[in-house]
């Protein structure tokens, strides 16, 4: 599991991004369980994720952050990155972010993809 850790803060909310290879739903579930073994990630408000499986198509999970999984999935599709799970973690800071939360998810995924390409 590659963890970039905290990528940005906004109005008290903190965002981090992680990812790893995943070829099926079982590997996705195992990666999510592995991430949540870290107490800070287990206590996060949202762990949204998406993966584009070469044998099973797209999978996503919003974990209560409605629409965030689709944002990650669209970015994976644009990159053509298959069999790689990306998880964006948010610790809620007490203030609603509105549409900014989607921009923050995009910023996290972009940071992860840039790190992956480096």
């Amino acid at each position: 599991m590659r963890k970039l850790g905290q990528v940005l803060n906004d109005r008290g909310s903190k965002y981090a991004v992680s990812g790893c290879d995943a070829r099926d739903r079982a590997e996705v579930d195992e990666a999510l369980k592995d991430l949540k073994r870290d107490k800070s990630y287990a206590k996060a408000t949202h762990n949204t994720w998406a993966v584009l499986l070469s044998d099973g198509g797209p999978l996503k999970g919003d974990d209560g952050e409605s629409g965030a999984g689709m944002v990650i999935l669209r970015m994976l599709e644009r990159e053509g990155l298959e069999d790689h799970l990306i998880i964006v973690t948010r610790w809620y800071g007490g203030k609603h972010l509105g549409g900014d939360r989607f921009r923050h998810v995009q910023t996290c995924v972009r940071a992860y993809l840039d790190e992956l390409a480096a």
Side-chain angles (χ1 to χ4, degrees), residues 67-76 78 102 105-106 109:
M70 184 56 77
V71 171
I72 301 168
L73 189 58
R74 281 190 201 122
M75 292 184 75
L76 288 170
R78 277 195 299 266
F102 297 116
V105 169
Q106 288 176 328
V109 174

Side-chain angles (χ1 to χ4, degrees), residues 4 9 21 30 34 37 42 47 63 90-92 109 112 118:
L4 262 60
N9 294 311
D21 291 332
E30 185 59 37
D34 182 47
R37 284 190 185 106
N47 283 294
D63 192 26
R90 178 183 178 194
W91 293 268
Y92 181 63
V109 174
Y112 184 86

Side-chain angles (χ1 to χ4, degrees), residues 6-117:
Q6 194 170 311
V7 174
L8 64 92
N9 294 311
D10 182 13
R11 292 168 264 177
S13 286
K14 298 174 186 167
Y15 285 82
V17 63
S18 311
C20 64
D21 291 332
R23 290 174 295 286
D24 58 33
R25 181 59 196 243
E27 288 184 5
V28 168
D29 291 341
E30 185 59 37
L32 291 166
K33 192 162 48 168
D34 182 47
L35 180 71
K36 291 177 184 178
R37 284 190 185 106
D38 182 324
K39 286 182 184 179
S40 65
Y41 286 87
K43 291 179 181 180
T45 313
H46 309 286
N47 283 294
T48 59
W49 59 271
V51 61
L52 195 55
L53 299 174
S54 57
D55 284 345
L59 293 176
K60 65 179 177 63
D62 290 334
D63 192 26
E65 185 81 292
S66 184
M70 184 56 77
V71 171
I72 301 168
L73 189 58
R74 281 190 201 122
M75 292 184 75
L76 288 170
E77 288 171 342
R78 277 195 299 266
E79 291 290 319
L81 182 59
E82 292 185 334
D83 298 329
H84 199 91
L85 171 69
I86 296 182
I87 307 160
V88 175
T89 302
R90 178 183 178 194
W91 293 268
Y92 181 63
K95 294 185 181 170
H96 292 285
L97 303 180
D100 288 342
R101 63 193 174 100
F102 297 116
R103 283 189 286 284
H104 297 333
V105 169
Q106 288 176 328
T107 298
C108 289
V109 174
R110 176 52 43 212
Y112 184 86
L113 292 171
D114 290 348
E115 178 75 17
L116 197 60

